[in-house]
Amino acid sequence: MHAPLRKRHGPGLQPPLLHPSRHSSFESESSSKKPQFHLDLWFYFTLQNWVLDFGRPIVMIILPLEWFPLNKPSAGDYFHMAYNVITPFLLLKLIERSPKTLPRSAVYVCIITFVMGASIHLVGDSVNHRLILSGYQLHLSVRENPIIKDLKPATLIDSFELLYYYDECLGHSMWYIPFFLIFFLYFTGCFTHLKEERKMPLSAWLLVGPSGLYYWYLVTEGQIFILYIFTFFAMMATVMHQKRKGFVLDSNGLFLLTTFAITLALIAVWVICLWNDKVLRKKYPGVIYVPEPWAFFTLHIKGRM
């Protein structure tokens, strides 16, 4: 017997699709995947942010200088190295859990740029801390610092200004722009029509306070208020756009948005409290006045210790 003939498709007919398109629409992806609050990832983010980033300069101050000579990496440098490895790993894991298929090329470029910027900052911040131990004052500009302005030859001052540029300008830009961009890309997938996912669980409420407080420190110390407020407004615009389609934020999106809202409130309180500080006003001129916490520390607290 002959094997049965397979049905041929006519010239105007297309064979049926065996697999759904990988880049499906947002609505179909959100409907097929039930979002869940990522307690483990948000907890790891909060823990490592407080320990490895905020705790980094504190460890360098507390530990005896004899343990880490000025010509060797300090404890804070090792904290920074760990941060530069753990944070991009957590960001990649967060992207993997996004209900929405995100552009891989954009994610890869963001992660690579983040690692490079954080590494540049590692070197600049390491040298900057040693300058602080030698009397450098963060509330003054590079050329106004007593230990810098008397350097000979005078071209050495230009080298320290270059170091400051790599640390506070280029390093911060390459670090924080991809960092916030990845969070925003993830946020665009945090929408659902499931009623049970329209509120945050108790675990999220326990983390949102420490998380918001950390991002206050990140924005003020990193001098990235414009980047932060642009990201926050973009999130709000995305929420309004998706609301017209009948979608609302899931628990992860609510956590991110609430965290950023708490950060904004803390920044407002911080600026109001230091509004009339003449020294910090001179350090941070211009319309946007957001002093750095460590500049406040060297100006008002370090001398009393």
Side-chain angles (χ1 to χ4, degrees), residues 34-209:
K34 180 180 178 180
Q36 295 180 346
F37 183 69
H38 308 317
L39 174 60
D40 54 342
L41 285 181
W42 295 125
F43 174 76
Y44 293 146
F45 266 117
T46 304
L47 180 64
Q48 67 99 28
N49 284 337
W50 276 101
V51 174
L52 299 181
D53 192 17
F54 180 78
R56 172 166 45 88
I58 297 177
V59 167
M60 290 189 289
I61 294 175
I62 294 177
L63 293 182
L65 184 61
E66 294 77 18
W67 294 3
F68 302 95
L70 294 181
N71 61 343
K72 300 293 182 180
S74 68
D77 295 337
Y78 293 113
F79 274 44
H80 207 320
M81 294 176 194
Y83 176 91
N84 291 3
V85 174
I86 295 174
T87 302
F89 174 77
L90 292 178
L91 290 173
L92 286 172
K93 299 302 292 184
L94 186 67
I95 290 297
E96 287 179 3
R97 298 192 188 182
S98 173
K100 181 181 179 181
T101 302
L102 301 175
R104 286 189 174 184
S105 297
V107 174
Y108 291 160
V109 170
C110 285
I111 294 296
I112 293 170
T113 307
F114 171 89
V115 173
M116 184 174 180
S119 301
I120 291 174
H121 182 267
L122 164 63
V123 177
D125 197 62
S126 178
V127 176
N128 186 53
H129 174 71
R130 281 146 182 76
L131 292 176
I132 294 175
L133 294 176
S134 301
Y136 187 86
Q137 302 177 47
L138 291 176
H139 60 278
L140 299 176
S141 67
V142 175
R143 290 187 178 273
E144 292 176 342
N145 262 271
I147 68 170
I148 299 293
K149 63 183 181 181
D150 295 329
L151 287 176
K152 301 297 180 182
T155 52
L156 285 175
I157 301 178
D158 296 330
S159 299
F160 278 102
E161 285 189 326
L162 176 62
L163 176 66
Y164 180 87
Y165 171 77
Y166 273 116
D167 180 15
E168 298 295 327
C169 299
L170 184 61
H172 281 190
S173 297
M174 296 182 67
W175 177 0
Y176 295 129
I177 291 177
F179 181 77
F180 280 94
L181 181 56
I182 287 180
F183 271 130
F184 176 73
L185 289 175
Y186 171 79
F187 182 82
T188 60
C190 295
F191 291 88
T192 182
H193 55 77
L194 301 176
K195 293 182 179 180
E196 61 271 19
E197 290 296 331
R198 295 182 182 182
K199 59 182 180 179
M200 292 196 301
L202 177 61
S203 56
W205 286 108
L206 294 176
L207 288 177
V208 73

